[in-house]
Amino acid sequence: MTSKTANWEFSEELFEEYKKKSQIAEVWRRLKKSKTAMLGLFVLTTIILLALFADLIRNYQSMAIEQNIMNRLQSPNSTHWFGTDAQGRDLFARVIHGARISLLLGFSCTAISVFVGLILGSVAGYFGGKIDGVIMRILDSIMSIPAILLSLAIVAVLGQSIPNLIIAMTVAYVPGFARIVRASVLTVIGNEYIEAAKASGLGTFRIISKYVLPNAFGPIIVEITMSVASVIKAVAGLSFIGLGIIPPTPEWGAMLSESREFMRYNPYLVLYPGLAIVLTSLSLNLLGDGLRDALDPRLKD
Amino acid sequence: MHKYVLKRLILMVPIILGVIFIVFTITSLTPGDPGRMMLGMTASQEAVDKLNEELGFNDPYVVRFAKYLGNIVRGDFGKSYKNNQPVFDEIFARFPTTLKLALASITVTILIGIPLGVLAAVRQYSKLDMISTVSALFIAAVPSFWLALVCILAFSLHLGWFPPNGIGSIAHYVMPTFTLSVVYAASILRMTRTTMLESIRQDYVRTARGKGATPAQVIWRHALKNALLPVVTSMGMSFGGLLGGAVVIEQVFGMPGLGTLLINAIKMKDIPQVMAITIFLATLFCTIMLLVDILYAFIDPRIKARYTS
């Protein structure tokens, strides 16, 4: 008897796994059809690879940090592909090492926001009532402070550092995710299979994580791509006004701020870091748009 | 209608309270020493301690929050650490600049975004549609402060058409308005296009066409009116983004608005000023959203009907 039960459970798991795989394969198949999404994915992958192998391509300490006044303000040439800045540092080295910081911040802030948003959103949606009311009112209040103002206030209070920047960004981005999760929870909460799961004595945590949250998967994936792009732009903006990443750390916004006074005769100084921001966020937006279409069951062919 | 407006107004109260609570909580995490900030580095430790005690900075969190709230109700947001003047003096002095910039930007956003969005939808897959959709997608990825730098480089430093900073004349507002609005115009364009594409396939549009309305009438009166609802909400949200974006853009163009005031206050750790600006802008944003909701009720007869009976 026991062996039979074990056997049955085993096959159910296999089935679940098969189903999950086929779903992902299906989304991938549909995503592949969108040329713009594939272009976005290609550009994004290139940027991620450049960021990952930045140390092998250009040495961080000697090329991106150390000043070399002899080489200052060289226009782009064969040794310095993007030219050099006012301190004689290689702009290409700084741009690819900057990709590292921007992507790291973009993905980590988004990951934490998703995690907190999942908890808050599912608790609010699942329990409803007063808990829902309190959580949603607080989130509404956070959302009525323009995101950049909120981040500025937090950075102002906690001081300028990368962990504080992550906190500042996360607080601003949690409400969006929590709302998406809550909405998805509310759409499934009345269904019979939730009732059945409750009746069969499953714990609340298990019900939420196994039966409720998978429904929020699609919209969250789309929001993640958009949010990474938006965090990268916001961090660049904060650094640009001198309240984000502090120079000489190579961050795109900080680089733009440093090169402002030299841009008249060296326009490449503002061109390349800016294009880096544009390309990164454009590729994420293209991918997000493609994913939205691929995940939308109404557009199924 | 009055009932609806009243209900929305009452709903705004907890949100504003929440904003004050959040801003207060964040700023109460400051490791800094307010007494030290006000008296400067040369003051004796006893004097600093005495001032902290007098101003109630040693009270428990809840007591301080209640006091702050009480003062706000009486219109007292505290004094700036910098010049010991009420914080709102400076805010009112700076606000007109920010308001002008924001109003000009939202106007340009609407004037570019909606007509182009409608045209793109009506001539779907035409050249105009392709160009405007692709450029909207591209512009959405451009950070406004970078666009501002590029504009200064091109139109001030090289062509000399517009002044690179200051607020003396209308010409000073051209580039800030453009750089701030173009991003939101792109998103309004995309949104208008999507909702228009849905709207022009509806039965009522076919009916309008069938009863002999001219194509222009069908599009601008029947289709657009129905497509506009989500766009109006999105415009309200954009206004919040605009207020935030203005902080950075003012900095780039050296405009003495609330944004530059805020950034200076942050750099000087002038906490009461930072709190007041943040609460002020958030309240402004809430008021805009309230107006949007009321406007919504005027456009959408379904909401109006629910409250007039």
Side-chain angles (χ1 to χ4, degrees):
Chain A
M1 193 65 200
T2 41
S3 73
K4 213 177 178 183
T5 329
N7 204 7
W8 180 78
E9 269 179 8
F10 179 58
S11 62
E12 188 207 36
E13 256 166 41
L14 257 188
F15 175 69
E16 285 258 307
E17 197 151 289
Y18 169 75
K19 210 173 72 181
K20 222 182 260 168
K21 260 191 196 151
S22 72
Q23 261 176 1
I24 292 172
E26 170 67 17
V27 168
W28 172 242
R29 194 183 61 77
R30 280 156 62 184
L31 186 65
K32 262 201 301 197
K33 276 199 228 151
S34 157
K35 275 185 200 130
T36 48
M38 283 296 110
L39 178 69
L41 188 63
F42 173 74
V43 174
L44 184 65
T45 319
T46 314
I47 296 170
I48 290 177
L49 287 176
L50 279 174
L52 277 179
F53 297 110
D55 276 331
L56 299 178
I57 304 168
R58 290 283 190 275
N59 186 280
Y60 182 65
Q61 200 54 41
S62 67
M63 306 286 276
I65 294 295
E66 255 167 41
Q67 306 193 353
N68 185 355
I69 297 301
M70 301 288 287
N71 281 340
R72 75 192 293 259
L73 297 176
Q74 286 185 15
S75 296
N77 54 48
S78 55
T79 26
H80 302 289
W81 294 352
F82 291 176
T84 59
D85 69 4
Q87 272 78 40
R89 298 171 294 202
D90 182 49
L91 202 61
F92 178 66
R94 285 177 69 72
V95 168
I96 59 174
H97 283 281
R100 218 174 228 204
I101 292 171
S102 292
L103 289 173
L104 191 72
L105 278 171
F107 280 104
S108 59
C109 294
T110 306
I112 303 172
S113 309
V114 170
F115 182 71
V116 182
L118 273 178
I119 297 176
L120 288 179
S122 49
V123 166
Y126 189 83
F127 293 107
K130 266 189 195 149
I131 300 178
D132 184 34
V134 170
I135 293 180
M136 290 323 285
R137 286 300 83 71
I138 293 179
L139 294 182
D140 281 349
S141 305
I142 295 183
M143 281 183 118
S144 16
I145 308 175
I148 190 154
L149 287 183
L150 188 63
S151 308
L152 274 175
I154 297 174
V155 169
V157 166
L158 298 180
Q160 258 170 289
S161 73
I162 290 184
N164 290 347
L165 203 55
I166 294 180
I167 296 175
M169 289 290 141
T170 307
V171 174
Y173 284 84
V174 161
F177 284 108
R179 273 168 168 265
I180 293 175
V181 175
R182 177 174 173 271
S184 319
V185 170
L186 287 181
T187 54
V188 297
I189 204 77
N191 285 344
E192 275 104 353
Y193 64 87
I194 304 288
E195 197 101 337
K198 269 187 199 164
S200 67
L202 278 184
T204 311
F205 180 73
R206 251 183 103 80
I207 296 179
I208 293 181
S209 63
K210 273 203 89 167
Y211 297 94
V212 177
L213 287 187
N215 292 289
F217 180 71
I220 287 181
I221 289 285
V222 175
E223 186 69 17
I224 283 176
T225 55
M226 304 290 186
S227 145
V228 172
S230 154
V231 170
I232 289 176
K233 276 193 286 181
V235 169
L238 286 185
S239 306
F240 180 75
I241 53 180
L243 290 165
I245 307 276
I246 310 161
T249 310
E251 197 279 338
W252 295 332
M255 288 162 70
L256 286 172
S257 164
E258 281 181 309
S259 35
R260 233 193 119 164
E261 51 179 310
F262 306 102
M263 72 177 180
R264 177 163 198 171
Y265 299 106
N266 308 278
Y268 61 89
L269 282 177
V270 292
L271 182 68
Y272 293 113
L275 277 182
I277 304 175
V278 173
L279 278 181
T280 314
S281 87
L282 183 64
S283 66
L284 282 157
N285 287 349
L286 289 177
L287 186 62
D289 273 357
L291 276 171
R292 177 179 299 148
D293 293 344
L295 287 161
D296 191 346
R298 281 179 303 174
L299 297 175
K300 220 171 215 168
D301 40 332
Chain B
M1 248 347 259
H2 296 300
K3 235 167 113 189
Y4 179 75
V5 174
L6 197 69
K7 192 182 145 199
R8 295 292 321 176
L9 262 175
I10 292 168
L11 275 176
M12 219 174 104
V13 175
I15 299 282
I16 305 280
L17 279 178
V19 168
I20 296 173
F21 170 72
I22 289 162
V23 173
F24 184 83
T25 309
I26 292 171
T27 46
S28 68
L29 301 170
T30 331
D33 185 342
R36 180 62 73 194
M37 287 303 301
M38 274 178 269
L39 294 176
M41 278 311 166
T42 50
S44 70
Q45 189 58 42
E46 290 85 53
V48 170
D49 288 342
K50 196 167 156 253
L51 189 67
N52 275 341
E53 188 61 44
E54 260 171 37
L55 295 175
F57 287 113
N58 299 332
D59 291 343
Y61 169 78
V62 183
V63 176
R64 275 185 295 140
F65 181 60
K67 270 188 192 160
Y68 187 67
L69 210 57
N71 287 340
I72 283 184
V73 173
R74 284 193 295 270
D76 175 14
F77 279 79
K79 284 177 179 162
S80 158
Y81 291 167
K82 197 182 81 188
N83 54 14
N84 214 22
Q85 295 295 311
V87 283
F88 261 84
D89 286 5
E90 194 83 3
I91 291 182
F92 286 137
R94 302 279 199 120
F95 183 53
T97 305
T98 305
L99 186 69
K100 272 186 238 164
L101 178 60
L103 286 181
S105 301
I106 197 79
T107 314
V108 172
T109 301
I110 294 168
L111 288 182
I112 299 178
I114 293 182
L116 277 183
V118 171
L119 284 180
V122 172
R123 302 192 193 145
Q124 198 186 4
Y125 304 127
S126 69
K127 254 190 201 139
L128 179 92
D129 180 28
M130 293 303 216
I131 293 170
S132 54
T133 331
V134 169
S135 44
L137 201 64
F138 190 78
I139 286 166
V142 176
S144 55
F145 66 89
W146 183 63
L147 191 62
L149 283 185
V150 173
C151 283
I152 292 179
L153 187 60
F155 301 116
S156 298
L157 299 180
H158 287 290
L159 295 170
W161 291 353
F162 300 108
N165 59 348
I167 51 159
S169 66
I170 291 180
H172 284 99
Y173 281 92
V174 173
M175 288 200 297
T177 304
F178 173 73
T179 50
L180 197 52
S181 55
V182 77
V183 178
Y184 297 100
S187 82
I188 295 283
L189 188 157
R190 268 158 54 105
M191 184 133 204
T192 311
R193 179 178 178 273
T194 316
T195 52
M196 270 303 275
L197 279 179
E198 260 171 48
S199 163
I200 49 180
R201 282 174 181 66
Q202 298 292 325
D203 288 340
Y204 52 77
V205 169
R206 200 171 306 137
T207 312
R209 222 173 258 149
K211 72 169 194 193
T214 63
Q217 264 182 334
V218 171
I219 287 160
W220 297 103
R221 271 190 51 196
H222 297 268
L224 181 63
K225 220 174 159 188
N226 283 284
L228 220 49
L229 289 172
V231 178
V232 168
T233 311
S234 161
M235 261 156 22
M237 299 298 287
S238 301
F239 198 82
L242 266 169
L243 288 177
V247 172
V248 182
I249 289 298
E250 279 175 13
Q251 188 77 1
V252 182
F253 289 100
M255 304 170 85
L258 280 183
T260 31
L261 179 65
L262 178 66
I263 289 168
N264 288 338
I266 286 174
K267 286 184 174 160
M268 312 209 32
K269 292 252 172 220
D270 189 352
I271 299 295
Q273 188 78 72
V274 174
M275 288 169 87
I277 298 172
T278 314
I279 293 170
F280 177 71
L281 287 179
T283 310
L284 184 66
F285 178 39
C286 285
T287 316
I288 301 287
M289 287 313 280
L290 173 80
L291 292 178
V292 165
D293 274 345
I294 294 171
L295 186 67
Y296 220 103
F298 273 106
I299 310 176
D300 191 344
R302 280 166 296 186
I303 300 180
K304 212 165 158 185
R306 214 183 303 155
Y307 284 90
T308 39
S309 56

